Amino acid sequence: QVQFVESGGGLVQPGGSLRLSCAASGFTFSRSAMNWYRQVPGKEREWVAAVSTAGDSTSYVESVRGRFTISRDNTKDMMYLQMNSLKPEDTAVYYCNKNFFAEYWGKGTLVTVSS
């Protein structure tokens, strides 16, 4: 069974940093491009960042480009999102997955950016 366990969220002040982790299992992690998504209650899920299978190519939604860095460690079936210069509008539950329309989702990790 495909599983994702997100962690690393918390309360941080504007301008602060957090590093999110995603532990994946139930599939061949190294063969799948991976993504981070986020969702605010009452709003549609938003794609945030993607990383290629080998981790050599990344892409970001414009609003986080230059502030967030996505990476992966295929030896550990782990993916990460380094979040710097956080803004209140980054507040959301962050999820990792293989694609936007995936069947299985983890519980996510809540990131709250507030003073």
Side-chain angles (χ1 to χ4, degrees):
Q1 63 284 357
V2 176
Q3 292 185 336
F4 303 98
V5 179
E6 301 92 346
S7 62
L11 175 64
V12 64
Q13 294 184 334
S17 298
L18 284 174
R19 187 183 188 233
L20 307 184
S21 297
C22 168
S25 62
F27 65 102
T28 305
F29 181 75
S30 62
R31 295 180 183 175
S32 297
M34 291 292 295
N35 305 268
W36 281 100
Y37 306 90
R38 65 187 180 187
Q39 188 168 29
V40 177
K43 298 183 67 177
E44 189 173 306
R45 182 171 57 240
E46 175 189 28
W47 173 81
V48 176
V51 61
S52 62
T53 55
D56 57 341
S57 180
T58 60
S59 58
Y60 304 88
V61 66
E62 184 178 0
S63 61
V64 310
R65 191 175 300 117
R67 299 187 297 118
F68 291 8
T69 302
I70 187 173
S71 62
R72 67 192 297 161
D73 184 346
N74 287 341
T75 69
K76 300 179 179 179
D77 288 1
M78 293 285 291
M79 183 175 66
Y80 309 96
L81 186 67
Q82 179 64 49
M83 310 164 67
N84 299 326
S85 301
L86 283 162
K87 304 175 180 180
E89 51 262 45
D90 295 319
T91 296
V93 177
Y94 284 72
Y95 301 89
C96 60
N97 218 312
K98 294 189 288 183
N99 64 79
F100 191 88
F101 299 103
E103 180 73 16
Y104 304 101
W105 294 84
K107 295 180 179 180
T109 185
L110 175 63
V111 172
T112 303
V113 185
S114 177
S115 60

mmCIF file of all heavy atoms in Angstrom, residues 7-21 36 67-70 80-87 90-92 94 109-114:
data_model
loop_
_atom_site.group_PDB
_atom_site.id
_atom_site.type_symbol
_atom_site.label_atom_id
_atom_site.label_comp_id
_atom_site.label_asym_id
_atom_site.label_seq_id
_atom_site.Cartn_x
_atom_site.Cartn_y
_atom_site.Cartn_z
ATOM 1 N N SER A 7 6.132 15.351 7.960
ATOM 2 C CA SER A 7 6.500 15.831 9.285
ATOM 3 C C SER A 7 7.321 17.103 9.160
ATOM 4 O O SER A 7 7.758 17.470 8.072
ATOM 5 C CB SER A 7 7.286 14.768 10.059
ATOM 6 O OG SER A 7 8.496 14.449 9.397
ATOM 7 N N GLY A 8 7.529 17.761 10.277
ATOM 8 C CA GLY A 8 8.371 18.943 10.315
ATOM 9 C C GLY A 8 7.641 20.263 10.403
ATOM 10 O O GLY A 8 8.277 21.309 10.557
ATOM 11 N N GLY A 9 6.328 20.230 10.301
ATOM 12 C CA GLY A 9 5.567 21.455 10.384
ATOM 13 C C GLY A 9 5.550 22.016 11.791
ATOM 14 O O GLY A 9 6.012 21.389 12.744
ATOM 15 N N GLY A 10 5.016 23.214 11.914
ATOM 16 C CA GLY A 10 4.935 23.855 13.208
ATOM 17 C C GLY A 10 4.613 25.320 13.071
ATOM 18 O O GLY A 10 4.281 25.800 11.987
ATOM 19 N N LEU A 11 4.716 26.019 14.176
ATOM 20 C CA LEU A 11 4.470 27.454 14.210
ATOM 21 C C LEU A 11 5.785 28.192 14.062
ATOM 22 O O LEU A 11 6.748 27.922 14.787
ATOM 23 C CB LEU A 11 3.796 27.842 15.526
ATOM 24 C CG LEU A 11 3.579 29.332 15.780
ATOM 25 C CD1 LEU A 11 2.627 29.917 14.744
ATOM 26 C CD2 LEU A 11 3.036 29.545 17.186
ATOM 27 N N VAL A 12 5.825 29.114 13.126
ATOM 28 C CA VAL A 12 7.035 29.879 12.877
ATOM 29 C C VAL A 12 6.658 31.325 12.577
ATOM 30 O O VAL A 12 5.586 31.593 12.033
ATOM 31 C CB VAL A 12 7.841 29.268 11.706
ATOM 32 C CG1 VAL A 12 7.049 29.344 10.409
ATOM 33 C CG2 VAL A 12 9.194 29.936 11.559
ATOM 34 N N GLN A 13 7.521 32.245 12.960
ATOM 35 C CA GLN A 13 7.279 33.655 12.695
ATOM 36 C C GLN A 13 7.587 34.001 11.249
ATOM 37 O O GLN A 13 8.382 33.327 10.594
ATOM 38 C CB GLN A 13 8.138 34.521 13.620
ATOM 39 C CG GLN A 13 7.775 34.409 15.087
ATOM 40 C CD GLN A 13 8.573 35.353 15.963
ATOM 41 O OE1 GLN A 13 9.685 35.743 15.615
ATOM 42 N NE2 GLN A 13 8.001 35.728 17.088
ATOM 43 N N PRO A 14 6.948 35.047 10.723
ATOM 44 C CA PRO A 14 7.280 35.477 9.363
ATOM 45 C C PRO A 14 8.782 35.698 9.222
ATOM 46 O O PRO A 14 9.420 36.271 10.102
ATOM 47 C CB PRO A 14 6.503 36.775 9.209
ATOM 48 C CG PRO A 14 5.330 36.602 10.123
ATOM 49 C CD PRO A 14 5.878 35.852 11.319
ATOM 50 N N GLY A 15 9.335 35.233 8.115
ATOM 51 C CA GLY A 15 10.761 35.335 7.888
ATOM 52 C C GLY A 15 11.539 34.140 8.384
ATOM 53 O O GLY A 15 12.731 34.001 8.071
ATOM 54 N N GLY A 16 10.894 33.273 9.123
ATOM 55 C CA GLY A 16 11.544 32.102 9.665
ATOM 56 C C GLY A 16 11.651 30.969 8.670
ATOM 57 O O GLY A 16 11.266 31.096 7.507
ATOM 58 N N SER A 17 12.164 29.846 9.143
ATOM 59 C CA SER A 17 12.397 28.692 8.283
ATOM 60 C C SER A 17 11.879 27.410 8.911
ATOM 61 O O SER A 17 11.820 27.273 10.134
ATOM 62 C CB SER A 17 13.897 28.525 8.003
ATOM 63 O OG SER A 17 14.436 29.635 7.322
ATOM 64 N N LEU A 18 11.511 26.475 8.064
ATOM 65 C CA LEU A 18 11.126 25.136 8.472
ATOM 66 C C LEU A 18 11.622 24.160 7.415
ATOM 67 O O LEU A 18 11.738 24.515 6.247
ATOM 68 C CB LEU A 18 9.611 24.996 8.609
ATOM 69 C CG LEU A 18 8.928 25.586 9.837
ATOM 70 C CD1 LEU A 18 7.413 25.458 9.678
ATOM 71 C CD2 LEU A 18 9.376 24.873 11.103
ATOM 72 N N ARG A 19 11.890 22.946 7.838
ATOM 73 C CA ARG A 19 12.258 21.891 6.907
ATOM 74 C C ARG A 19 11.264 20.749 7.055
ATOM 75 O O ARG A 19 11.206 20.105 8.097
ATOM 76 C CB ARG A 19 13.668 21.383 7.174
ATOM 77 C CG ARG A 19 14.180 20.392 6.122
ATOM 78 C CD ARG A 19 15.554 19.877 6.491
ATOM 79 N NE ARG A 19 16.160 19.082 5.440
ATOM 80 C CZ ARG A 19 16.639 17.852 5.611
ATOM 81 N NH1 ARG A 19 16.593 17.279 6.800
ATOM 82 N NH2 ARG A 19 17.184 17.207 4.579
ATOM 83 N N LEU A 20 10.486 20.510 6.017
ATOM 84 C CA LEU A 20 9.508 19.442 6.018
ATOM 85 C C LEU A 20 10.124 18.165 5.468
ATOM 86 O O LEU A 20 10.976 18.200 4.585
ATOM 87 C CB LEU A 20 8.291 19.821 5.177
ATOM 88 C CG LEU A 20 7.611 21.153 5.503
ATOM 89 C CD1 LEU A 20 6.361 21.311 4.645
ATOM 90 C CD2 LEU A 20 7.268 21.241 6.977
ATOM 91 N N SER A 21 9.661 17.041 5.990
ATOM 92 C CA SER A 21 10.116 15.742 5.523
ATOM 93 C C SER A 21 8.932 14.909 5.084
ATOM 94 O O SER A 21 7.826 15.047 5.611
ATOM 95 C CB SER A 21 10.875 15.007 6.631
ATOM 96 O OG SER A 21 12.047 15.695 7.008
ATOM 97 N N TRP A 36 5.366 18.335 -3.669
ATOM 98 C CA TRP A 36 4.784 18.881 -2.453
ATOM 99 C C TRP A 36 3.547 19.688 -2.844
ATOM 100 O O TRP A 36 3.562 20.420 -3.846
ATOM 101 C CB TRP A 36 5.759 19.784 -1.706
ATOM 102 C CG TRP A 36 6.789 19.054 -0.901
ATOM 103 C CD1 TRP A 36 8.073 18.808 -1.254
ATOM 104 C CD2 TRP A 36 6.609 18.498 0.405
ATOM 105 N NE1 TRP A 36 8.714 18.129 -0.249
ATOM 106 C CE2 TRP A 36 7.849 17.916 0.777
ATOM 107 C CE3 TRP A 36 5.538 18.420 1.298
ATOM 108 C CZ2 TRP A 36 8.035 17.271 2.011
ATOM 109 C CZ3 TRP A 36 5.717 17.781 2.513
ATOM 110 C CH2 TRP A 36 6.954 17.216 2.862
ATOM 111 N N ARG A 67 12.487 30.822 -2.412
ATOM 112 C CA ARG A 67 12.378 30.697 -0.962
ATOM 113 C C ARG A 67 12.362 29.240 -0.512
ATOM 114 O O ARG A 67 12.866 28.921 0.556
ATOM 115 C CB ARG A 67 11.114 31.391 -0.456
ATOM 116 C CG ARG A 67 11.073 32.881 -0.748
ATOM 117 C CD ARG A 67 9.880 33.546 -0.066
ATOM 118 N NE ARG A 67 8.603 33.030 -0.561
ATOM 119 C CZ ARG A 67 7.704 32.401 0.198
ATOM 120 N NH1 ARG A 67 7.936 32.218 1.495
ATOM 121 N NH2 ARG A 67 6.559 31.980 -0.326
ATOM 122 N N PHE A 68 11.765 28.370 -1.318
ATOM 123 C CA PHE A 68 11.649 26.952 -0.986
ATOM 124 C C PHE A 68 12.612 26.146 -1.842
ATOM 125 O O PHE A 68 12.881 26.488 -3.000
ATOM 126 C CB PHE A 68 10.236 26.436 -1.234
ATOM 127 C CG PHE A 68 9.179 26.969 -0.307
ATOM 128 C CD1 PHE A 68 9.449 27.993 0.595
ATOM 129 C CD2 PHE A 68 7.900 26.432 -0.341
ATOM 130 C CE1 PHE A 68 8.470 28.480 1.442
ATOM 131 C CE2 PHE A 68 6.912 26.911 0.504
ATOM 132 C CZ PHE A 68 7.192 27.937 1.392
ATOM 133 N N THR A 69 13.108 25.048 -1.285
ATOM 134 C CA THR A 69 13.965 24.132 -2.020
ATOM 135 C C THR A 69 13.493 22.707 -1.784
ATOM 136 O O THR A 69 13.455 22.240 -0.650
ATOM 137 C CB THR A 69 15.430 24.263 -1.589
ATOM 138 O OG1 THR A 69 15.885 25.608 -1.779
ATOM 139 C CG2 THR A 69 16.308 23.327 -2.413
ATOM 140 N N ILE A 70 13.137 22.032 -2.863
ATOM 141 C CA ILE A 70 12.706 20.641 -2.784
ATOM 142 C C ILE A 70 13.893 19.733 -3.071
ATOM 143 O O ILE A 70 14.735 20.036 -3.917
ATOM 144 C CB ILE A 70 11.545 20.361 -3.764
ATOM 145 C CG1 ILE A 70 10.967 18.957 -3.559
ATOM 146 C CG2 ILE A 70 11.982 20.563 -5.208
ATOM 147 C CD1 ILE A 70 9.701 18.694 -4.381
ATOM 148 N N TYR A 80 12.194 16.158 0.907
ATOM 149 C CA TYR A 80 12.266 17.284 1.827
ATOM 150 C C TYR A 80 11.817 18.568 1.154
ATOM 151 O O TYR A 80 11.858 18.712 -0.063
ATOM 152 C CB TYR A 80 13.699 17.465 2.341
ATOM 153 C CG TYR A 80 14.302 16.200 2.882
ATOM 154 C CD1 TYR A 80 15.122 15.397 2.090
ATOM 155 C CD2 TYR A 80 14.045 15.796 4.190
ATOM 156 C CE1 TYR A 80 15.670 14.231 2.573
ATOM 157 C CE2 TYR A 80 14.589 14.621 4.683
ATOM 158 C CZ TYR A 80 15.398 13.846 3.874
ATOM 159 O OH TYR A 80 15.933 12.677 4.367
ATOM 160 N N LEU A 81 11.398 19.504 1.974
ATOM 161 C CA LEU A 81 11.085 20.841 1.505
ATOM 162 C C LEU A 81 11.664 21.830 2.498
ATOM 163 O O LEU A 81 11.148 21.977 3.609
ATOM 164 C CB LEU A 81 9.573 21.045 1.368
ATOM 165 C CG LEU A 81 9.148 22.378 0.753
ATOM 166 C CD1 LEU A 81 9.579 22.444 -0.720
ATOM 167 C CD2 LEU A 81 7.643 22.583 0.861
ATOM 168 N N GLN A 82 12.741 22.482 2.105
ATOM 169 C CA GLN A 82 13.327 23.526 2.921
ATOM 170 C C GLN A 82 12.589 24.817 2.631
ATOM 171 O O GLN A 82 12.557 25.273 1.486
ATOM 172 C CB GLN A 82 14.815 23.684 2.610
ATOM 173 C CG GLN A 82 15.515 24.780 3.405
ATOM 174 C CD GLN A 82 15.538 24.499 4.887
ATOM 175 O OE1 GLN A 82 15.901 23.405 5.300
ATOM 176 N NE2 GLN A 82 15.146 25.486 5.697
ATOM 177 N N MET A 83 11.994 25.396 3.650
ATOM 178 C CA MET A 83 11.169 26.581 3.506
ATOM 179 C C MET A 83 11.825 27.736 4.250
ATOM 180 O O MET A 83 11.933 27.708 5.471
ATOM 181 C CB MET A 83 9.769 26.328 4.054
ATOM 182 C CG MET A 83 9.126 25.054 3.514
ATOM 183 S SD MET A 83 7.687 24.525 4.482
ATOM 184 C CE MET A 83 6.548 25.845 4.131
ATOM 185 N N ASN A 84 12.267 28.733 3.512
ATOM 186 C CA ASN A 84 12.901 29.906 4.089
ATOM 187 C C ASN A 84 12.067 31.142 3.816
ATOM 188 O O ASN A 84 11.209 31.152 2.941
ATOM 189 C CB ASN A 84 14.306 30.096 3.511
ATOM 190 C CG ASN A 84 15.228 28.938 3.802
ATOM 191 O OD1 ASN A 84 15.143 28.307 4.852
ATOM 192 N ND2 ASN A 84 16.142 28.664 2.874
ATOM 193 N N SER A 85 12.349 32.194 4.565
ATOM 194 C CA SER A 85 11.652 33.468 4.397
ATOM 195 C C SER A 85 10.146 33.270 4.356
ATOM 196 O O SER A 85 9.447 33.797 3.492
ATOM 197 C CB SER A 85 12.135 34.165 3.117
ATOM 198 O OG SER A 85 13.527 34.401 3.163
ATOM 199 N N LEU A 86 9.642 32.519 5.309
ATOM 200 C CA LEU A 86 8.231 32.165 5.314
ATOM 201 C C LEU A 86 7.330 33.380 5.498
ATOM 202 O O LEU A 86 7.671 34.319 6.224
ATOM 203 C CB LEU A 86 7.959 31.140 6.402
ATOM 204 C CG LEU A 86 8.404 29.719 6.038
ATOM 205 C CD1 LEU A 86 8.527 28.856 7.276
ATOM 206 C CD2 LEU A 86 7.415 29.104 5.052
ATOM 207 N N LYS A 87 6.200 33.325 4.819
ATOM 208 C CA LYS A 87 5.213 34.381 4.848
ATOM 209 C C LYS A 87 3.904 33.849 5.412
ATOM 210 O O LYS A 87 3.634 32.654 5.326
ATOM 211 C CB LYS A 87 4.967 34.924 3.439
ATOM 212 C CG LYS A 87 6.210 35.423 2.729
ATOM 213 C CD LYS A 87 5.885 35.832 1.300
ATOM 214 C CE LYS A 87 7.110 36.342 0.575
ATOM 215 N NZ LYS A 87 6.786 36.734 -0.824
ATOM 216 N N ASP A 90 1.949 31.405 3.433
ATOM 217 C CA ASP A 90 2.433 30.037 3.314
ATOM 218 C C ASP A 90 1.732 29.098 4.285
ATOM 219 O O ASP A 90 1.930 27.884 4.224
ATOM 220 C CB ASP A 90 3.944 29.972 3.563
ATOM 221 C CG ASP A 90 4.753 30.706 2.511
ATOM 222 O OD1 ASP A 90 4.415 30.596 1.315
ATOM 223 O OD2 ASP A 90 5.729 31.386 2.884
ATOM 224 N N THR A 91 0.947 29.653 5.187
ATOM 225 C CA THR A 91 0.228 28.846 6.167
ATOM 226 C C THR A 91 -0.711 27.875 5.461
ATOM 227 O O THR A 91 -1.561 28.275 4.672
ATOM 228 C CB THR A 91 -0.568 29.737 7.123
ATOM 229 O OG1 THR A 91 0.334 30.543 7.887
ATOM 230 C CG2 THR A 91 -1.414 28.902 8.078
ATOM 231 N N ALA A 92 -0.546 26.596 5.741
ATOM 232 C CA ALA A 92 -1.343 25.557 5.099
ATOM 233 C C ALA A 92 -0.936 24.206 5.656
ATOM 234 O O ALA A 92 0.051 24.085 6.383
ATOM 235 C CB ALA A 92 -1.134 25.575 3.577
ATOM 236 N N TYR A 94 0.673 20.889 4.521
ATOM 237 C CA TYR A 94 1.531 20.480 3.425
ATOM 238 C C TYR A 94 1.515 18.965 3.265
ATOM 239 O O TYR A 94 1.640 18.227 4.249
ATOM 240 C CB TYR A 94 2.959 20.968 3.651
ATOM 241 C CG TYR A 94 3.117 22.447 3.377
ATOM 242 C CD1 TYR A 94 2.573 23.388 4.243
ATOM 243 C CD2 TYR A 94 3.791 22.900 2.247
ATOM 244 C CE1 TYR A 94 2.690 24.742 3.979
ATOM 245 C CE2 TYR A 94 3.918 24.253 1.978
ATOM 246 C CZ TYR A 94 3.365 25.174 2.850
ATOM 247 O OH TYR A 94 3.485 26.518 2.593
ATOM 248 N N THR A 109 1.284 17.848 7.158
ATOM 249 C CA THR A 109 1.879 18.506 8.316
ATOM 250 C C THR A 109 1.536 19.987 8.249
ATOM 251 O O THR A 109 1.668 20.623 7.205
ATOM 252 C CB THR A 109 3.409 18.268 8.367
ATOM 253 O OG1 THR A 109 3.942 18.818 9.573
ATOM 254 C CG2 THR A 109 4.119 18.877 7.166
ATOM 255 N N LEU A 110 1.063 20.508 9.350
ATOM 256 C CA LEU A 110 0.572 21.884 9.387
ATOM 257 C C LEU A 110 1.707 22.872 9.581
ATOM 258 O O LEU A 110 2.501 22.753 10.519
ATOM 259 C CB LEU A 110 -0.454 22.045 10.509
ATOM 260 C CG LEU A 110 -0.988 23.458 10.751
ATOM 261 C CD1 LEU A 110 -1.741 23.966 9.533
ATOM 262 C CD2 LEU A 110 -1.885 23.474 11.984
ATOM 263 N N VAL A 111 1.758 23.845 8.702
ATOM 264 C CA VAL A 111 2.703 24.949 8.805
ATOM 265 C C VAL A 111 1.906 26.213 9.083
ATOM 266 O O VAL A 111 1.024 26.579 8.301
ATOM 267 C CB VAL A 111 3.523 25.115 7.512
ATOM 268 C CG1 VAL A 111 4.362 26.391 7.568
ATOM 269 C CG2 VAL A 111 4.402 23.897 7.292
ATOM 270 N N THR A 112 2.206 26.857 10.186
ATOM 271 C CA THR A 112 1.533 28.091 10.551
ATOM 272 C C THR A 112 2.562 29.198 10.671
ATOM 273 O O THR A 112 3.473 29.119 11.497
ATOM 274 C CB THR A 112 0.774 27.951 11.877
ATOM 275 O OG1 THR A 112 -0.169 26.882 11.786
ATOM 276 C CG2 THR A 112 0.038 29.240 12.205
ATOM 277 N N VAL A 113 2.432 30.203 9.836
ATOM 278 C CA VAL A 113 3.353 31.339 9.835
ATOM 279 C C VAL A 113 2.601 32.529 10.413
ATOM 280 O O VAL A 113 1.703 33.075 9.778
ATOM 281 C CB VAL A 113 3.869 31.651 8.430
ATOM 282 C CG1 VAL A 113 4.906 32.766 8.496
ATOM 283 C CG2 VAL A 113 4.462 30.401 7.793
ATOM 284 N N SER A 114 2.973 32.907 11.609
ATOM 285 C CA SER A 114 2.263 33.973 12.303
ATOM 286 C C SER A 114 3.154 34.592 13.363
ATOM 287 O O SER A 114 4.015 33.929 13.940
ATOM 288 C CB SER A 114 0.992 33.434 12.958
ATOM 289 O OG SER A 114 0.326 34.438 13.697
#
